[in-house]
Amino acid sequence: EESKHKRRANLAASFQRTAVNHIVSRASVALDRARSEGDNLTAIVVAGGVACNKHLRRSMENLAKDKNLDIMIPHPRMCTDNGVMVAWTGIERIRLGLIEPCMPSNINISSSIEIRPRWSLGARHKLSVTQLQQLRRRKARSQMKNGGSASSGASSRKSNKQKNTAQ
């Protein structure tokens, strides 16, 4: 029984070490890249639920020291709910005027959700598309498959592309 418990503990510790090493390695590469592109970085921020992990905190503190950067890590009590961070990001986007208009009520949005793995506080990336653009593209493809006219879908795609480029 003891050896089974020990094996599990060793497996968990190995996983934690590997995960932390991966995060620190990616952060280091990102910092080097940002600096090579001329960004004047002054600090690293570690936040979210992972910031409660003591091993990650120490490893990121060491990275900050190696890169000659300050580090900001909230108290673990402040690192438990990513929902708060998502809401705060929404508040900041609204404050900066980076909001999207509501979708028209005649469009069924239950079948589509815009998925963005990274949500910048800055302007929308030129390759990013809104839910409305995705729905219009699907509708145009569906019309083309069914032999209907897709010209309105193509023109809306073109105008949306122009709108995105202008942002």
Side-chain angles (χ1 to χ4, degrees), residues 11-76:
L11 178 63
S14 294
F15 176 81
Q16 176 180 264
R17 186 176 54 255
T18 301
V20 167
N21 288 345
H22 179 75
I23 291 168
V24 171
S25 173
R26 299 238 359 210
S28 179
V29 168
L31 290 167
D32 291 342
R33 182 175 177 188
R35 282 184 165 164
S36 74
E37 293 176 0
D39 288 340
N40 185 21
L41 304 175
T42 59
I44 297 173
V45 176
V46 181
V50 296
C52 289
N53 184 289
K54 291 176 187 176
H55 181 58
L56 177 66
R57 291 170 84 95
R58 281 191 306 271
S59 297
M60 292 300 288
E61 286 167 352
N62 290 335
L63 175 64
K65 186 177 178 182
D66 291 346
K67 301 288 184 182
N68 197 28
L69 294 168
D70 292 330
I71 187 158
M72 296 175 204
I73 308 175
H75 189 279

Side-chain angles (χ1 to χ4, degrees), residues 84-144:
V84 172
M85 286 179 248
V86 170
W88 188 260
T89 301
I91 289 168
E92 289 297 315
R93 288 183 62 83
I94 291 168
R95 189 179 65 75
L96 295 170
L98 300 172
I99 57 176
E100 297 172 12
C102 294
M103 295 185 63
S105 60
N106 63 342
I107 294 180
N108 178 5
I109 62 168
S110 64
S111 63
S112 175
I113 292 178
E114 180 180 6
I115 298 172
R116 286 189 270 164
R118 292 174 181 83
W119 193 5
S120 169
L121 288 176
R124 179 182 291 280
H125 189 274
K126 65 182 178 183
L127 297 177
S128 177
V129 294
T130 66
Q131 262 187 333
L132 186 57
Q133 290 168 319
Q134 290 174 357
L135 289 170
R136 286 180 177 155
R137 287 178 185 171
R138 279 194 198 131
K139 186 176 179 182
R141 281 194 297 266
S142 175
Q143 287 175 344
M144 289 183 351

